[in-house]
Amino acid sequence: MTHYDKSTIADLVDGRLEWSQLKAMMSNFKDPDRFDKYIAVLQERVPWDDQILLPLGPHLFIVRKADGSIVTKSRSGYEFGDYRQNWKLKARIRVRDTDASLQELYPAMMHCTPGWMELREYIDPLDGTLLEVEAVPPGYPVVHSFQPDLETFYREWLGRSL
Amino acid sequence: MSNGMGNRPRILAIDAGGTMTDTFIINERGEFVVGKAQTTPYDESIGFLNSARDALHYWGMGVEEAFSAMVSGIYSGTAMLNRLLERKGRTVGLIVTAGMEDYLRMERAIQTYLGYSYSDRLHIVTHHHNPPLVPRKRIFGVRERVDVFGKVAIPLYEHEARAAAEQLLAMGVDSIVVNFIYSFKNPAHEQRVREIAEEVMAAEGRQVPIYLSSELYPLRADFPRLNATLLEAYAAEPSREQLQRVRQVTRDHGARFDLRVMASHGGTISIDARELARTLISGPIGGVIGAKYLAERIGVHNVACTDIGGTSFDIALITDGEFQIKNVPDVARFLLNIPLVQIDSVGAGTGSFVRVNPGNRRIEIGPDSAGARVGMCYPEGGVDTVTITDCNVVLGYLNPDNFLGGEIKLDRQRAIAAVRQQIAEPLGLDVYAAASGVVELFEDSLKNNLLGRIIGKGYGPENYTLLSYGGGGPLHVGGYSAGLNFEDVLIPSWAPGFSAFGCACGDFEYRYDRSIDLPIFPGIDDATRMQLGNAINAAWDALADQVAAEFAKSGIPREQIRFKPAIRMQYYGQLNDLEFRSPVQRIEEPGDILQLVRAFEDLYAKIYYNAARTPQFGYLATRAIMTGSVDVEKPALPHRVETGPDPDPEAQVGMRDVYWKGSWISTPIFAMDRLHAGNRIVGPAIIEAPACTLVVPPDRWVWLDRNDIFHMRKV
C-alpha cells in the first residue's frame, strides 16, 4: 500500500516537493489515508478550532462548529452560512466588465471583450482574500460550483460517520 | 570459462555501467572470462583495471602479459549518459538564428513526456520540461536566414555574431555551439560565425572549441540537430578525457591495440572520432550486434533478439541479416538525429515491482523497478514492494543460495510472506497461485510485445529464430516463447554477458549521414536521372571522405576501407522515409536510379502492403548514408566436442520442488558448466550457472550444441 508521512503531505500542500517525489506520487496508486493526513495538516494551520470536514479551496473550508452546525468558512474566519447554500452569495464581489478593469490583468488585445465575457472576483469580506473567479457572459447567474454529498463521502468512502 | 595454460587473450570488451564495470576477455578458442569491479566515476580507468585484473585471475594471468597479447579492445559505458542525466557537463554558449532563441527550452513539447510509460503519457500533469543544457541567458540569436533550398533570405548580421561571441566569452563559456536553420543546406553562415568567433577569441587571447551543426550532424530537423550538436559540446568532450585515460592505462600496461568505442549505429569507432556523442548509447545495443554476428556465424537470417534485464525487456529484430536503424531516436528525454540501432524497450524486467491496483484489483507490473536492489527476498536492498524476482524465488525457479553465484543470499521465506501479504491476500488467492499468476502475466505481456513487433514487420514467428539473453532471458524464455512457432529458440550459455560479448563483435565502422532531399519524379528523362545520380554520388563521395578521414586518425589507409553506400527514400510528400543499402556502389548510368527506386518499392511493400505503394507520387531521396568498415578480429564462438545426449550423472546437482502451473513437481537441477555439447535435457528441469538460470518447462526439452548454445524445443 502506498504510504506517505505527514511531513510529505505538508510539503505537498506548500508546493515544496521535489519533482521526482511529485512525479512518483502522481504515477503510483493513491495512498488511502491521504484525506486524513491532508485535513490534519490544514487543521493545524487555520486560526480557529472548528473541525474542517472538507476543503473547498486554499482558503475556504466546510467546517463543523461547536454547536454542531456545518457551515462554509474562510481561513480568516468569515462564515458564509449553511454549507448547502452558495457561499458566493455572501461574498464581496468585484466585476471586471470594462476594458480598463480587464487591462489591469491582461495586455490590450489579449483581454476578453466586455460585452461577451466578464470576470467576477469573489472576495473574503474580512481580509480581502480572493476566493474564486468566474469568467461568464454578462447576466449569467452566480454559479453554485460544488454541492458535496458529505454524508456519503464519510460513510461509504472513508468508512465512518460524518 | 577455462583455466590453466595456453591462454592467449585476444579481445577485451569493457562495459562500464553505473555501478559495476564488467570486462569480458576472450581467447582465440572463444573461451572467455568475465571480471567485475566497482565503477570509479571520477576516473574510470581505475575501475577498468580492477575489473580486468579480476577477470584475468581466472586464467592466472597478469594484466601486462594479457594486454600485450590482445589485438582488440572495445569500450562501452554509461559515463556520458550519466553526465547528461546529472547535468554535469560543460558550460556551453549557444548561437542560433535570431527569433529562435527559445526552441531549446520549448523542447518541441514532445520532450516533456519522452520516456514515459503509456499511462503517464496520457496523464498530463506528469508532463514536465527538463532542465535545459544551456540556460536562456547563454543563448544568443543572430539575425540571418537561409531558406529550405539553401538560398540566403537574410544575410548574416556579422556585428551581432561578433557581439554574441564577445558576450559568451565574457560569461566564461567552455565552448560555443552554432545551430542555424537549414544550415545543412547551406553552411556558409555557420562557418562565417566561426571565423568571427575565432577573430574575437584571438583578440581576447582565449580559445574555446566551436561546434557547427552543419559539420557534425548535417541533417534536416533543427531541434534534434541542435540537441545532438549540444550533446557533443556538453557531454561528449569531457567523456573523451575519460576514454583517453582508459586508453592510457591499457598502453601503460603493454597494450598495442587501439581502444575503440561502441557507437549507436552498431559499429565501433575510435575514441579520437570527431562525433563522440554517437557513443552515448553503447551498452544496450551490444546484444543486437552480438546477435547479428552469431546469426552470420551459424547461418540464420532472421533473428528476434530478446534481452531481459533487471529493469526492461528489450526487443530488436534482425531481418535478412540486418538490424533496423532509427532515424531520430530519443535518448534520456532528448530527441537526437544520431542514427541508433532500433531497440524497443518494454518497461518490465525481473526487478519490476508488482502491485495489486486497489481500484480494480488487477495485478500491475512496473513500470518502476528495484534494479540492483532485487526485491523483498534481498533484505539489504531495502525494497518494500514485491518484484518479479520474488515470485521466481517463491515458485522455486531461482535458487536463493545461488543468486549471482551465491554472492547475494536471498531470503525465500521473506519473499513468500511479502507475496502473500501484498498480492495473494488482497486477491483472495493461495500465495503460490498468486506468484504463478504474476509470472504468467509478465511472460504473456513479453510474448505479446514480441509478437506485435514481428507481425508489424510483416512476418510471423515461424520466419524467425528467437535468441534469448540477459540475466533474466533464460529464466523466462520458456514462458514467453510458449505457443509461438519460432524456427528455433537459442539461449547462449553466456547469456548474462551477451551484451559485452556483442560489443566485441562490432565492426570497426564509421557511418556518416547527410540530408539531400532530391525529388525523383515519374517520367523524368535519362539526363535528369543522371543529374540526380551525380548529386547522390557527390553526397556519397563527401561522406566517404569523412569516413576515410576518421580512419586516417587510426592510421588506416583508404584502400583498406570497405564502403557501403545506403540511402533513405520516401514517396514524395510523405513525412517518413525508409533506409536501405544501395543495390549499386555508385550511380553510373540512368538505370541505376531505377534500381534504387525498385529497391525502395520492394522494401515498402514488405513493410506495409503491395497495395500501399504509390509510385505515381514520385520519390524523394532524403538522406545519403555512407558506412565504411575495416576488418577487425572478432571473438571465436566456443567450439566443443559433441558427446552423447545423456548428461554426465554428476551434472545433476540435486532436486528441488518447483511449482509448474498449479502443481509442485520434484525437479532435477543441473549445473550448466558440467553439461557437454550434445547433451539433452527434458523438462521439467532447471539448469543453473552463476549468473543465470535456464528454466525448462515440463513440455519442453533443450539440447546444448557445439557452440555452447542451448536450443529449446517442444516435447
Side-chain angles (χ1 to χ4, degrees):
Chain A
M1 279 293 169
T2 319
H3 175 87
Y4 304 106
D5 51 26
K6 201 172 136 194
S7 68
T8 307
I9 303 300
D11 286 344
L12 176 68
V13 172
D14 291 335
R16 278 201 315 243
L17 280 182
E18 287 286 319
W19 169 253
S20 59
Q21 287 176 291
L22 201 57
K23 165 75 171 59
M25 220 175 216
M26 292 189 285
S27 300
N28 205 342
F29 299 128
K30 193 164 179 177
D31 42 323
D33 59 353
R34 171 85 60 90
F35 182 77
D36 291 328
K37 283 183 180 157
Y38 177 44
I39 292 293
V41 169
L42 297 178
Q43 192 79 55
E44 284 168 7
R45 297 177 175 198
V46 290
W48 27 260
D49 293 332
D50 298 339
Q51 183 199 357
I52 297 176
L53 296 177
L54 195 71
L56 291 180
H59 306 281
L60 197 66
F61 312 88
I62 294 176
V63 303
R64 175 156 44 208
K65 299 213 301 175
D67 64 6
S69 65
I70 300 180
V71 300
T72 304
K73 184 168 181 165
S74 74
R75 181 182 300 277
S76 70
Y78 189 83
E79 287 176 11
F80 294 88
D82 190 284
Y83 81 102
R84 287 161 296 195
Q85 304 301 318
N86 191 356
W87 62 272
K88 288 179 192 165
L89 298 175
K90 294 189 179 161
R92 302 288 293 272
I93 305 176
R94 169 170 184 179
V95 180
R96 293 182 188 267
D97 55 359
T98 61
D99 283 330
S101 61
L102 286 161
Q103 283 177 29
E104 286 174 15
L105 302 178
Y106 295 94
M109 308 302 287
M110 294 181 79
H111 68 292
C112 61
T113 304
W116 287 91
M117 190 174 106
E118 64 188 25
L119 298 185
R120 297 178 187 159
E121 296 169 343
Y122 294 91
I123 293 163
D124 186 325
L126 271 186
D127 68 352
T129 304
L130 181 63
L131 296 173
E132 197 174 312
V133 180
E134 284 175 355
V136 290
Y140 199 84
V142 173
V143 179
H144 193 176
S145 348
F146 186 37
Q147 295 167 275
D149 185 350
L150 276 186
E151 284 282 346
T152 305
F153 176 61
Y154 271 82
R155 194 176 58 245
E156 289 181 19
W157 292 44
L158 298 178
R160 58 178 188 254
S161 62
L162 181 59
Chain B
M1 291 198 192
S2 140
N3 48 32
M5 310 304 288
N7 279 307
R8 278 189 37 235
R10 298 290 285 173
I11 302 177
L12 166 72
I14 308 156
D15 183 10
T19 45
M20 298 298 276
T21 297
D22 297 348
T23 45
F24 196 83
I25 299 175
I26 307 165
N27 71 11
E28 74 278 14
R29 293 189 297 274
E31 296 159 346
F32 60 86
V33 282
V34 179
K36 282 186 179 289
Q38 205 100 37
T39 300
T40 46
Y42 51 95
D43 182 355
E44 287 190 4
S45 64
I46 299 170
F48 153 65
L49 201 60
N50 290 338
S51 177
R53 284 208 178 98
D54 179 49
L56 287 164
H57 93 264
Y58 291 106
W59 280 344
M61 273 186 136
V63 171
E64 271 80 6
E65 185 191 353
F67 281 12
S68 58
M70 288 177 183
V71 295
S72 193
I74 298 99
Y75 182 95
S76 71
T78 53
M80 202 188 302
L81 192 60
N82 289 341
R83 195 182 302 279
L84 194 61
L85 293 173
E86 294 167 9
R87 297 291 192 272
K88 286 187 177 157
R90 291 225 165 141
T91 308
V92 180
L94 174 61
I95 296 177
V96 298
T97 303
M100 310 301 285
E101 294 87 345
D102 291 309
Y103 74 134
L104 179 71
R105 294 190 303 160
M106 298 202 296
E107 303 194 280
R108 236 183 73 191
I110 195 175
Q111 284 187 179
T112 58
Y113 58 90
L114 279 183
Y116 272 11
S117 66
Y118 179 69
S119 56
D120 279 341
R121 263 182 279 155
L122 303 179
H123 191 187
I124 297 292
V125 290
T126 63
H127 296 197
H128 82 125
H129 281 286
N130 303 291
L133 298 185
V134 182
R136 177 64 182 82
K137 66 172 198 281
R138 290 206 303 268
I139 303 177
F140 286 84
V142 169
R143 263 176 282 185
E144 67 86 38
R145 187 61 71 102
V146 168
D147 73 10
V148 62
F149 303 106
K151 240 175 59 201
V152 174
I154 300 174
L156 179 71
Y157 280 44
E158 298 198 353
H159 65 285
E160 290 189 1
R162 193 172 306 276
E166 282 166 359
Q167 290 185 64
L168 284 173
L169 282 176
M171 288 174 168
V173 296
D174 295 335
S175 50
I176 296 176
V177 167
V178 189
N179 188 36
F180 286 156
I181 289 175
Y182 289 118
S183 61
F184 66 92
K185 273 283 186 186
N186 178 355
H189 286 176
E190 283 191 2
Q191 288 166 355
R192 181 68 191 127
V193 169
R194 174 165 57 195
E195 287 170 16
I196 291 169
E198 276 166 356
E199 287 166 23
V200 171
M201 288 190 292
E204 300 195 2
R206 199 167 96 81
Q207 293 295 315
V208 300
I210 301 175
Y211 300 83
L212 305 187
S213 74
S214 54
E215 259 177 28
L216 290 167
Y217 300 98
L219 297 168
R220 193 162 47 176
D222 290 280
F223 183 60
R225 171 154 44 88
L226 171 64
N227 275 343
T229 315
L230 266 184
L231 220 67
E232 198 63 51
Y234 182 84
E237 265 321 304
S239 303
R240 196 190 295 277
E241 290 161 19
Q242 285 274 13
L243 295 175
Q244 282 163 346
R245 236 175 279 169
V246 175
R247 174 168 67 185
Q248 197 52 47
V249 163
T250 64
R251 286 183 179 165
D252 291 348
H253 292 80
R256 287 187 292 260
F257 58 82
D258 194 28
L259 193 68
R260 289 175 283 130
V261 201
M262 191 49 139
S264 57
H265 68 278
T268 56
I269 65 177
S270 160
I271 65 176
D272 298 319
R274 193 174 59 168
E275 292 87 358
L276 203 61
R278 294 166 185 271
T279 64
L280 180 64
I281 319 273
S282 42
I285 63 172
V288 185
I289 312 308
K292 178 173 185 256
Y293 176 70
L294 198 64
E296 279 165 15
R297 299 296 301 265
I298 63 177
V300 298
H301 300 289
N302 296 338
V303 184
C305 314
T306 54
D307 178 352
I308 302 187
T311 55
S312 69
F313 175 59
D314 295 337
I315 307 168
L317 294 183
I318 292 171
T319 307
D320 289 330
E322 298 286 344
F323 42 71
Q324 253 75 45
I325 291 280
K326 205 172 178 185
N327 224 348
V328 185
D330 63 273
V331 176
R333 292 168 62 90
F334 287 99
L335 281 184
L336 300 174
N337 64 4
I338 298 173
L340 174 70
V341 172
Q342 172 123 35
I343 299 175
D344 287 326
S345 218
V346 180
T350 51
S352 288
F353 289 123
V354 181
R355 304 181 181 93
V356 175
N357 183 327
N360 56 19
R361 311 216 149 248
R362 280 204 198 134
I363 294 170
E364 293 191 3
I365 299 173
D368 48 345
S369 155
R373 296 180 297 152
V374 186
M376 295 291 285
C377 57
Y378 178 52
E380 291 88 334
V383 169
D384 59 5
T385 307
V386 167
T387 64
I388 299 288
T389 300
D390 286 320
C391 297
N392 283 321
V393 171
V394 168
L395 298 172
Y397 297 143
L398 276 180
N399 181 350
D401 300 319
N402 195 17
F403 191 71
L404 291 182
E407 272 174 46
I408 289 182
K409 289 273 177 246
L410 301 183
D411 183 343
R412 179 156 186 257
Q413 289 314 315
R414 195 164 185 266
I416 291 174
V419 173
R420 176 177 291 126
Q421 191 215 336
Q422 295 182 19
I423 313 286
E425 281 172 1
L427 296 175
L429 286 174
D430 159 62
V431 60
Y432 302 106
S436 175
V438 168
V439 171
E440 218 169 294
L441 182 72
F442 174 65
E443 290 173 346
D444 274 351
S445 112
L446 303 188
K447 189 201 305 195
N448 291 335
N449 274 293
L450 179 59
L451 191 60
R453 292 280 297 122
I454 292 174
I455 288 174
K457 275 270 162 284
Y459 288 89
E462 56 281 0
N463 306 116
Y464 280 86
T465 295
L466 177 68
L467 180 68
S468 174
Y469 52 90
L475 194 56
H476 294 285
V477 63
Y480 68 79
S481 66
L484 302 181
N485 281 321
F486 284 106
E487 210 171 327
D488 200 351
V489 176
L490 309 181
I491 305 109
S493 60
W494 62 102
F498 197 79
S499 289
F501 162 83
C503 285
C505 300
D507 285 315
F508 189 7
E509 181 180 272
Y510 285 94
R511 169 187 164 127
Y512 285 98
D513 292 38
R514 178 176 287 274
S515 281
I516 49 176
D517 292 347
L518 295 169
I520 306 173
F521 290 119
I524 49 172
D525 58 22
D526 278 356
T528 316
R529 284 196 187 114
M530 257 343 276
Q531 268 176 14
L532 289 168
N534 290 336
I536 294 170
N537 285 338
W540 278 338
D541 288 345
L543 294 168
D545 288 345
Q546 266 180 293
V547 169
E550 290 297 335
F551 274 119
K553 288 184 185 170
S554 310
I556 292 164
R558 195 171 180 130
E559 311 80 78
Q560 282 180 25
I561 306 170
R562 214 168 35 252
F563 288 103
K564 288 176 283 185
I567 197 159
R568 297 190 82 102
M569 276 175 87
Q570 63 192 35
Y571 289 112
Y572 199 85
Q574 283 187 317
L575 297 175
N576 293 303
D577 50 13
L578 297 179
E579 177 173 328
F580 56 95
R581 273 279 291 280
S582 167
V584 292
Q585 196 67 19
R586 273 183 82 76
I587 312 289
E588 304 281 6
E589 49 176 8
D592 291 343
I593 288 284
L594 296 177
Q595 284 212 53
L596 278 186
V597 164
R598 210 168 301 124
F600 168 74
E601 291 267 338
D602 288 348
L603 182 63
Y604 200 87
K606 212 184 263 179
I607 289 178
Y608 305 104
Y609 296 98
N610 269 320
R613 297 192 288 196
T614 39
Q616 64 273 28
F617 289 170
Y619 310 88
L620 187 70
T622 51
R623 189 188 278 208
I625 299 151
M626 181 60 80
T627 51
S629 55
V630 298
D631 287 328
V632 283
E633 174 141 334
K634 308 268 181 78
L637 292 187
H639 198 83
R640 303 219 271 168
V641 182
E642 226 167 292
T643 63
D646 297 322
D648 287 344
E650 65 267 25
Q652 189 182 328
V653 292
M655 301 289 284
R656 185 159 79 225
D657 282 342
V658 178
Y659 191 88
W660 302 101
K661 298 214 168 184
S663 55
W664 289 95
I665 301 175
S666 180
T667 302
I669 312 297
F670 293 90
M672 196 180 281
D673 56 2
R674 295 187 192 173
L675 295 176
H676 298 293
N679 283 176
R680 217 178 126 142
I681 290 170
V682 181
I686 295 203
I687 303 171
E688 291 181 356
C692 82
T693 302
L694 174 54
V695 171
V696 189
D699 58 343
R700 244 55 82 72
W701 59 277
V702 293
W703 69 279
L704 184 61
D705 75 10
R706 288 160 182 243
N707 299 325
D708 257 355
I709 300 170
F710 288 94
H711 298 245
M712 186 177 272
R713 301 273 160 84
K714 269 186 278 243
V715 169

